[in-house]
Amino acid sequence: MSTGERVSVKQRFYQFAESQGLRLTTQRMAIIDSAFDTKQHFTAEQLLEWSREKDKSVSRATVYRTLPLLTASGLVKELDFGKAYKFYDPNYADHPNHNHIICQDCDRIVEFESEQIEKLEDEITHNHGFSLRSQQVQITANCEEFKRSGNCRNRDCN
Amino acid sequence: MSTGERVSVKQRFYQFAESQGLRLTTQRMAIIDSAFDTKQHFTAEQLLEWSREKDKSVSRATVYRTLPLLTASGLVKELDFGKAYKFYDPNYADHPNHNHIICQDCDRIVEFESEQIEKLEDEITHNHGFSLRSQQVQITANCEEFKRSGNCRNRDCN
DNA sequence: GTGGGTGCAAAGTGTTTGCAAGTGT
DNA sequence: ACACTTGCAAACACTTTGCACCCAC
């Protein structure tokens, strides 16, 4: 939650970029900073918008060309919630095994971790003769509160 | 695994169709039969291909117009494995909470169930103030056997 | 200086839709 | 007969790419 934590993730990406010999253009820096200055899940379109606030010259093409670099670093994860567009999650550096509850009422996405589920997944995977590489749990849910009152306390959470 | 089981799922869809007042055109029947005559996960394109084997007049548009009917019945589930196209799984009638291991080496998709994971998911969801509507676990895995020998015993499984 | 990076616009890809013609009930 | 369905092709929405120019190293 601290700012220091965030900065360090960004720094980690810059290290990754350097190790790959990637050039640090102003456009790339605007995109990278936008991606790691938030804890929200974002879409390509949102990332473009944020990046343009920092550097008006950023084009959609460059955003799409930069996204694979972000995911290749392992610091951002691509998520597919079944919509036409993908979401990107910048919180995997700190919480590499977190999962998601997607509320159908308020469109909120809540993250959670469970060592017990991780352990079971690992067991099951090995029992089938595989080794686990990555995992993902998506829970689609409703909140009763929203149904009753037309509002939802989870709206404030994020 | 018995044929009887399969037929009954198909019957269940026909009941659903009737209850919704859907007309049973020859095209629809070709598509429905194709969907429920397999236990494999399929894409829209594969479903079109199978349906055309039964009735050459089936068009891509009709397949795409029928897929939402299949999922609306609850007997087929739409799955997103992060590819450009979606997969459809006709095994949800018998195993409504099953999950998937996706092997990166042999592209095999293995299904599994775990009451323990279900229970944990339910707990976690309620603890966050939600009620669970549906869930989905996707495990991406490697099989060591394939890496060593260039082959994979799971290739035969399905 | 030069090779990687960029913006633009065109192309791609899976999916959806308007419309006139066809068909199950 | 009438409303629901269909095939076709055009339209869509998101993403990718070819190309000439640009700029970080």
Side-chain angles (χ1 to χ4, degrees), chain A residues 13-30:
Chain A
F13 184 83
Y14 280 116
Q15 280 167 26
F16 167 81
E18 190 177 7
S19 77
Q20 301 292 106
L22 299 173
R23 290 188 185 168
L24 289 178
T25 63
T26 54
Q27 292 92 338
R28 262 186 193 161
M29 287 193 286

Side-chain angles (χ1 to χ4, degrees), chain B residues 4 25 46 57 77 85 90 94 96 102 119 125 130 134 142 155:
Chain B
T25 63
Q46 280 177 302
S57 79
K77 188 158 164 178
Y85 37 85
D94 303 328
I102 300 113
K119 199 173 164 186
T125 306
F130 296 104
S134 71
N142 293 110
R155 291 208 149 188

Side-chain angles (χ1 to χ4, degrees), chain A residues 23 25 27-28 57-59 62 65:
Chain A
R23 290 188 185 168
T25 63
Q27 292 92 338
R28 262 186 193 161
S57 79
V58 175
S59 73
T62 298
R65 282 191 275 234

